[in-house]
């Protein structure tokens, strides 16, 4: 049921003295875009009459077919707390449509909606709770980001060791002003690394919330003279940032289908099938869950990020973990995604992979309840434990070979995504790094 009607939005804009409305949408690489209109143009926007040039957005369309329309989702209306209180600024998250009134196949939000509809047709609601990590760094004299920090805080440290404590506090208060329910926040393992967790919700709301979260975190950090980055691995030798995804399926009346009190682990058959689906498509999803060349510098042994395709209910080294909560809080946690990923595509891929496991009644392999990083390669081979792709090029190849993942993304996104990521890979592999100069120049 919708939160707001068109009349509600007109009323709130007038009562709250909103002067500007940002019509937001996300490109296929997870970058937030917007068009700003004044309140005088609100009726036109709410009637889906705001047009933009799709050819100017990377991964959308060619110049010959550039006209596209923004269809606002009324329920996403929100006033930015950090903007002026006279002549306020609000936002509406939009779906992208073509000139003939059809959902644009290259709109990531539309991709997730299609996957959610498939789940609904099977009688399921997809609930998701993310764990978003980020770094806070200093900026230089020109206001540009650096990787410098004065702090040396570690996991769960508090002030005055955690120098980012007050910044996190302001972020949380701002997020709560925007309707977020914050469950926890803390300093992460690496110096200057932080995590803020917000309550799970239905998948589309969660994906919208992740985009809003990232914008808010960056905005509040800037007000403190800092730069917040969701780059997966900004510094060598320390942990990278992840975006663990906690997932559950519920019936349309809200019953969690992953729970079974008669099972030794408290998991239902559908939960095991869902896990098996995630594992079957883990390689094919990796180019989406870990979209940058830099992502694969996080996915290495020794820094907590998962590398091996396995699952467990008791240890954190595998790709998939089953957190301790049971009953209605039973969930499956995928630990590979990083916060540079497009949340709409990540959740669509996860849902489709899990549903494929349920539809085909895939059998989950035995759980691996020891530290996989301490196993020998021979032991891992004997247990049938495979690895995630080791770089972006391998990940793209795996994605192209996975029909389920390609089908959920659609032909448009697959072709544009592959084209852009292969260019990124080629730019990276032909570049001479400072490390190579330091290592080889004086030797040879």
């Amino acid at each position: 049921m919708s939160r707001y009607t068109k009349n509600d939005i007109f009323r709130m804009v007038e009562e709250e003295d909103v002067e500007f409305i940002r019509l937001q949408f996300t490109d296929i690489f997870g970058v937030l875009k917007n068009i700003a209109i004044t309140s005088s143009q609100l009726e036109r926007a709410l009637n889906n009459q705001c047009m933009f040039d799709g050819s100017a957005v990377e991964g959308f369309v060619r110049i010959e077919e550039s006209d596209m329309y923004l269809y606002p989702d009324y329920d996403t209306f929100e006033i930015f707390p950090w903007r002026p209180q006279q002549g306020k600024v609000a936002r509406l998250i939009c779906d992208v449509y073509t000139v003939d009134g059809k959902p644009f196949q290259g709109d990531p939000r539309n991709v997730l909606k299609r996957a959610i509809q498939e789940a609904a047709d099977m009688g399921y609601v997809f609930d998701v709770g993310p764990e978003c990590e980020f770094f806070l760094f200093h900026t230089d004299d020109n206001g540009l980001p650096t990787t410098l920090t004065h702090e040396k805080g570690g996991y769960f440290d508090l002030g005055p060791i955690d120098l980012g404590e007050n910044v996190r506090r302001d972020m949380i208060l701002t997020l709560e002003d925007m309707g977020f329910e914050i469950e926890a926040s803390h300093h992460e393992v690496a110096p200057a690394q932080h995590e803020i967790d917000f309550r799970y919700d239905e998948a589309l709301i969660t994906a919208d919330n992740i985009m809003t979260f990232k914008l808010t975190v960056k905005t509040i950090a800037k007000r403190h003279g800092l730069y917040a980055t969701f780059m997966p691995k900004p510094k060598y030798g320390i942990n990278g940032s992840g975006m663990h995804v906690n997932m559950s399926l519920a019936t349309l009346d809200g019953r969690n289908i992953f729970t079974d009190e008669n099972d030794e682990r408290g998991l239902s058959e559908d939960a095991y099938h869902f896990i098996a689906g995630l594992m079957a498509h883990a390689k094919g999803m990796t180019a989406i869950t870990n979209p940058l060349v830099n992502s694969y510098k996080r996915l290495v042994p020794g820094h907590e990020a998962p590398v091996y395709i396995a699952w467990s209910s008791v240890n954190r080294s595998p790709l998939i973990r089953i957190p301790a909560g049971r009953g209605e809080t039973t969930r499956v946690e995928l630990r590979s995604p990083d916060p540079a990923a497009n949340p709409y595509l990540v959740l669509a891929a996860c849902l489709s992979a899990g549903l494929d496991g349920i539809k085909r009644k895939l059998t989950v392999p035995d759980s691996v309840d020891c530290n996989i990083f301490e196993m020998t390669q021979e032991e891992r081979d004997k247990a049938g434990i495979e690895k995630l792709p080791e770089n972006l090029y391998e990940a793209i190849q795996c994605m192209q070979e996975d029909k389920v993942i390609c089908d959920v993304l659609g032909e448009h996104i697959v072709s544009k995504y592959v084209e852009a990521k292969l260019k990124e890979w080629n730019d990276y592999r032909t570049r001479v790094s400072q490390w190579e100069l330091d290592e080889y120049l004086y030797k040879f």
Side-chain angles (χ1 to χ4, degrees), residues 19-23 35-42 44-45 50:
E19 181 58 36
F20 294 96
I21 299 97
R22 293 185 178 181
L23 306 178
I35 294 172
I37 61 170
T38 61
S39 57
S40 66
Q41 300 300 305
L42 180 59
R44 190 167 65 91
C50 279

Side-chain angles (χ1 to χ4, degrees), residues 178-289:
M178 299 178 73
F180 281 71
E181 183 177 335
I182 303 300
E183 294 190 329
S185 73
H186 58 86
H187 196 289
E188 260 295 338
V189 174
Q193 189 182 33
H194 305 269
E195 180 179 317
I196 298 175
D197 301 330
F198 51 89
R199 190 179 187 275
Y200 77 92
D201 213 319
E202 293 183 18
L204 186 64
I205 296 172
T206 295
D208 288 341
N209 283 343
I210 292 171
M211 297 304 297
T212 302
F213 173 86
K214 291 163 79 169
L215 173 64
T216 304
V217 165
K218 283 181 171 290
T219 299
I220 301 305
K222 187 175 181 180
R223 294 181 74 168
H224 284 263
L226 298 171
Y227 185 82
T229 181
F230 293 93
M231 180 179 176
K233 184 82 167 185
K235 297 185 78 168
Y236 167 75
I238 61 173
N239 285 22
S241 290
M243 185 181 70
H244 301 167
V245 177
N246 293 271
M247 299 169 275
S248 63
L249 284 178
T251 57
L252 299 181
D253 60 1
R255 181 180 59 82
N256 188 330
I257 71 160
F258 282 178
T259 185
D260 182 353
E261 61 185 20
N262 297 317
D263 179 72
E264 61 176 337
R265 294 189 180 87
L267 300 176
S268 68
E269 285 298 313
D270 281 335
Y272 288 119
H273 295 324
F274 193 92
I275 294 167
L278 289 174
M279 293 179 67
H281 298 288
K283 293 182 181 181
M285 290 194 298
T286 302
I288 299 300
T289 58

Side-chain angles (χ1 to χ4, degrees), residues 119-137:
D121 292 343
M122 295 173 65
Y124 301 137
V125 173
F126 187 41
D127 291 322
V128 183
E131 301 174 26
C132 296
E133 297 172 349
F134 58 94
F135 282 87
L136 289 175
F137 291 130

